[in-house]
Amino acid sequence: MIPTIDEKIGIFVYSTKFSGCRGIIKKNIDDFIVKEILSNKIKYLLTNNDYGYSLYKLKKWNMDTIHALNHISKRYKIRLKAIGLKDARAITEQYVCTINKTKIKENIKEKHYNLNPVCLLSKPLTKKYMIGNRFKIKISNSNSKLAKFEEYDEILNFFGYQRFGSKRPITHLIGKAILQKKFMKAIKILLSSTSKYDTKQNIEIRKKLDDESNYIKYINKIPSKMDLEKIILREMILHKNPLRSLRSLPLFIRRFFIQSYQSFLFNKTLSMATKNNEVYKPLENDVCFDEEFKLCKFSSVSNNIRHKLAVPIIGFTYYKKTRFHQYINKILNDERISPKDFFINDMQESSNEGGFRHALINYDDDLYVNDNIIKFTLNRGCFATIVLREIIKPDDPIKSGF
């Protein structure tokens, strides 16, 4: 049985026939450890100057990346950019870089994070220097079947729960509303959509925020973690303009909403294609990634087994000439969305051209299982929760710690 929350984010298949070991992740903060891995090519950016783009290692716990960087910016006046976002309920290590050239600063120790200097770079750090992430995860209350998972090496590369908001999977719905130019609907979803996993207090507040006349009354009553909601409420109270209110959100958040909807469409495409067994091997002229992660066309003559099948991510430059178009065309018709909608005239900075993504997760040959501990390394952009979904096969992913 596929959990309801999986279907809401476009996932309605499993990759494996493994029955699942059940269990819970993130029972304790140190049950989930993730460390970012940079490419050796980073050495070409090193500089001996006194000023440069300062590279730091950020180790954190009980705090997500965005809130950690905001805290550093406010308290220490260091503006940093991350190349990947990491969850709050985990011990994580990642690399962050200053937005402008500066002198590198000393170690910073706070309650929920440490920031340690690494080096100075001649150029800002970008995602192309990130190889992936190494994970060490404890699965509590699992059964003896866990060890058998090592037999499986092909897992569908779905976008994971956190891309959609986990406990409240709505980010893709906001993205769709923006694409359809239903800006007030997008605001209503952000403010008022509830989830059975939310607290009683939050549910009550969200119900009140469904009525615009309550905005002034409740703006000072909403919890501090609802920071996006506060931004929207302030703008709506002042200007009563839904588009202006949405544009008051940080740019990366607005882009994230659009990317979330693209992720939903990708998950649905991959699910539909998998049911017809069309994602495990590339065929003649399929779009693929080569061993250097560059796009190419597959040729049976060259018989390059290292080429990996690519599936389109829909955007305004969507490439139709793949065997996935039959599924994508049906999905877009059902959704009443077209590729051109991803160019947003009213919010051009949030437009997205689309691209391609690996059909399968490429985790290295370092999968290790011992008792209830599992270790593995994933390439950039792959979700550990999707691997864990195959391992645990949870009845309720949220209650199982996802």
Side-chain angles (χ1 to χ4, degrees):
M1 294 291 291
I2 303 297
T4 301
I5 193 171
D6 291 27
E7 294 180 347
K8 285 183 177 180
I9 62 175
I11 304 175
F12 46 88
V13 295
Y14 282 110
S15 315
T16 66
K17 295 180 180 179
F18 179 69
S19 60
C21 70
R22 297 302 190 256
I24 300 170
I25 60 172
K26 300 182 180 180
K27 191 173 183 180
N28 300 302
I29 195 67
D30 57 352
D31 286 350
F32 199 102
I33 299 172
V34 53
K35 297 180 180 181
E36 213 166 66
I37 309 166
L38 293 185
S39 165
N40 288 330
K41 292 180 181 179
I42 194 73
K43 63 186 179 184
Y44 298 114
L45 296 183
L46 295 176
T47 178
N48 292 322
N49 295 334
D50 291 335
Y51 281 83
Y53 295 94
S54 301
L55 183 68
Y56 296 90
K57 180 181 283 188
L58 174 65
K59 183 177 181 179
K60 61 177 189 61
W61 50 95
N62 281 330
M63 179 179 273
D64 63 40
T65 304
I66 294 171
H67 284 92
L69 297 188
N70 285 342
H71 189 271
I72 293 166
S73 177
K74 289 178 181 178
R75 176 162 291 191
Y76 297 100
K77 311 303 178 187
I78 306 173
R79 295 183 63 203
L80 297 167
K81 182 179 180 181
I83 52 176
L85 299 179
K86 301 290 186 286
D87 291 344
R89 188 152 179 78
I91 295 177
T92 71
E93 291 183 13
Q94 64 187 117
Y95 293 93
V96 294
C97 184
T98 53
I99 295 172
N100 302 307
K101 288 186 176 182
T102 62
K103 279 190 174 183
I104 202 160
K105 298 198 175 183
E106 297 300 318
N107 296 338
I108 292 173
K109 292 186 178 182
E110 286 285 347
K111 182 179 179 180
H112 294 296
Y113 66 83
N114 294 333
L115 186 70
N116 299 317
V118 178
C119 61
L120 286 170
L121 305 176
S122 58
K123 295 180 180 179
L125 188 68
T126 61
K127 286 186 177 180
K128 72 177 182 179
Y129 292 102
M130 179 182 171
I131 295 176
N133 294 283
R134 185 173 292 116
F135 297 88
K136 179 183 177 183
I137 299 163
K138 179 180 179 180
I139 303 176
S140 301
N141 307 330
S142 62
N143 60 38
S144 59
K145 295 177 183 178
L146 176 57
K148 296 180 181 178
F149 187 77
E150 287 182 290
E151 300 170 11
Y152 296 94
D153 60 358
E154 290 184 332
I155 297 176
L156 297 166
N157 194 20
F158 290 119
F159 286 93
Y161 305 97
Q162 54 268 57
R163 177 57 65 100
F164 305 95
S166 295
K167 292 181 180 180
R168 199 169 71 111
I170 60 161
T171 56
H172 60 303
L173 302 178
I174 298 171
K176 179 180 179 180
I178 291 172
L179 293 178
Q180 293 179 321
K181 300 181 180 180
K182 298 178 180 179
F183 303 122
M184 193 61 214
K185 181 179 180 180
I187 287 174
K188 288 278 189 179
I189 294 169
L190 175 61
L191 295 178
S192 309
S193 292
T194 59
S195 164
K196 67 178 183 179
Y197 304 107
D198 213 341
T199 65
K200 184 178 179 180
Q201 179 194 16
N202 286 2
I203 290 172
E204 286 300 315
I205 288 173
R206 293 195 185 283
K207 286 180 179 178
K208 296 294 184 183
L209 293 178
D210 193 42
D211 183 350
E212 293 177 48
S213 65
N214 284 329
Y215 287 179
I216 294 176
K217 182 179 178 181
Y218 281 89
I219 187 169
N220 294 320
K221 295 182 180 181
I222 64 176
S224 58
K225 288 187 177 180
M226 290 187 186
D227 44 1
L228 299 182
E229 287 87 340
K230 282 188 175 181
I231 294 171
I232 289 289
L233 285 175
R234 287 193 194 102
E235 285 294 319
M236 284 298 293
I237 290 167
L238 287 172
H239 304 288
K240 295 181 173 57
N241 185 320
L243 175 58
R244 177 171 179 160
S245 298
L246 286 169
R247 294 192 74 178
S248 69
L249 294 173
L251 177 57
F252 77 92
I253 293 293
R254 284 176 274 145
R255 287 176 173 168
F256 182 73
F257 290 148
I258 305 304
Q259 291 162 2
S260 296
Y261 186 59
Q262 290 175 306
S263 303
F264 169 74
L265 298 176
F266 178 91
N267 282 356
K268 289 199 75 171
T269 303
L270 198 55
S271 291
M272 292 176 71
T274 300
K275 286 202 166 186
N276 288 325
N277 199 30
E278 289 197 34
V279 298
Y280 292 103
K281 291 184 180 179
L283 303 176
E284 194 72 20
N285 289 321
D286 271 340
V287 178
C288 290
F289 288 99
D290 64 17
E291 50 268 35
E292 294 182 355
F293 300 100
K294 294 178 181 178
L295 289 172
C296 62
K297 287 288 188 75
F298 182 77
S299 170
S300 57
V301 176
S302 62
N303 194 28
N304 194 328
I305 61 172
R306 295 181 66 84
H307 287 186
K308 306 295 184 182
L309 184 62
V311 178
I313 291 178
I314 302 159
F316 62 80
T317 63
Y318 167 59
Y319 181 73
K320 295 182 179 180
K321 296 179 181 179
T322 74
R323 56 187 162 101
F324 298 102
H325 180 63
Q326 59 179 315
Y327 308 114
I328 291 171
N329 191 50
K330 183 181 186 312
I331 291 166
L332 291 178
N333 286 335
D334 291 344
E335 291 283 312
R336 297 183 180 181
I337 288 286
S338 73
K340 67 180 181 181
D341 291 329
F342 286 86
F343 186 85
I344 311 166
N345 288 317
D346 296 306
M347 205 186 291
Q348 293 184 22
E349 68 280 5
S350 302
S351 300
N352 196 297
E353 63 183 356
F356 287 87
R357 177 177 171 85
H358 281 97
L360 301 175
I361 285 178
N362 299 305
Y363 61 82
D364 291 346
D365 297 329
D366 66 346
L367 180 68
Y368 168 84
V369 178
N370 182 22
D371 194 19
N372 62 346
I373 301 292
I374 185 164
K375 299 178 184 179
F376 52 86
T377 302
L378 298 183
N379 287 340
R380 184 183 78 221
C382 298
F383 287 78
T385 48
I386 293 301
V387 177
L388 293 166
R389 172 183 179 267
E390 296 287 343
I391 295 171
I392 295 174
K393 297 285 197 308
D395 295 323
D396 187 324
I398 302 304
K399 287 184 178 179
S400 293
F402 284 76

